[in-house]
Amino acid sequence: MSEDYEILPTVLVIHPSGYTEFLDADLSSMTSREIESLIYGENLEIVHSSEHLDRITKDCDLEKNLVMCFAKKSLTEDFEENYAGSILYDSDAEVRGPIIIALEDNEHNISSFENEEDIENVFEAIDDLTGILRRETDDDGRYDPWA
């Protein structure tokens, strides 16, 4: 059995390219506008349930439900299609731009991940489903004078 380490409130931000950030953000204390600013858009759409989100929630044995947030409208330029988002949405609609993967309780209160095992398991499950996720993992904990 692996250790489950607490982390700062963190969400997954998956960009259209597949690049995935583990972003420190406490969604439970943020307004919709603040959440929208994380993904450079407006008119926040929250996907509370889909076949894939529900299955990953169950497979990862999460205490809360997995949700996906995306902006319907870009603030800067046209968004590219987000392949991972479109798959997770499980709809005929195309998801564009960055998406946020977070949690919500049964009363639809959105929150961030607060332990490392859950967020890592969700990242791996989404990557297993889509095959496109990537992130920079070159941090070995040593001081880097060039960083």
Side-chain angles (χ1 to χ4, degrees), residues 19 35 45 51 86 105 107-108 125 146-147:
Y19 173 68
I35 296 171
E45 173 84 14
E51 177 185 341
S86 294
D105 62 20
E107 296 176 357
H108 298 293
W146 301 105

Side-chain angles (χ1 to χ4, degrees), residues 35-82:
I35 296 171
E36 290 168 347
S37 72
L38 298 176
I39 52 177
Y40 319 109
E42 57 185 23
N43 297 338
L44 191 67
E45 173 84 14
I46 301 173
V47 180
H48 299 281
S49 180
S50 76
E51 177 185 341
H52 295 300
L53 291 173
D54 296 343
R55 187 174 72 242
I56 292 170
T57 297
K58 183 179 178 188
D59 290 349
C60 293
D61 197 28
L62 300 173
E63 291 181 16
K64 295 181 179 180
N65 299 315
L66 204 60
V67 294
M68 177 179 77
C69 308
F70 65 95
K72 293 183 195 177
K73 184 176 176 186
S74 168
L75 292 178
T76 55
E77 56 191 59
D78 290 336
F79 284 146
E80 295 177 34
E81 179 182 3
N82 189 313

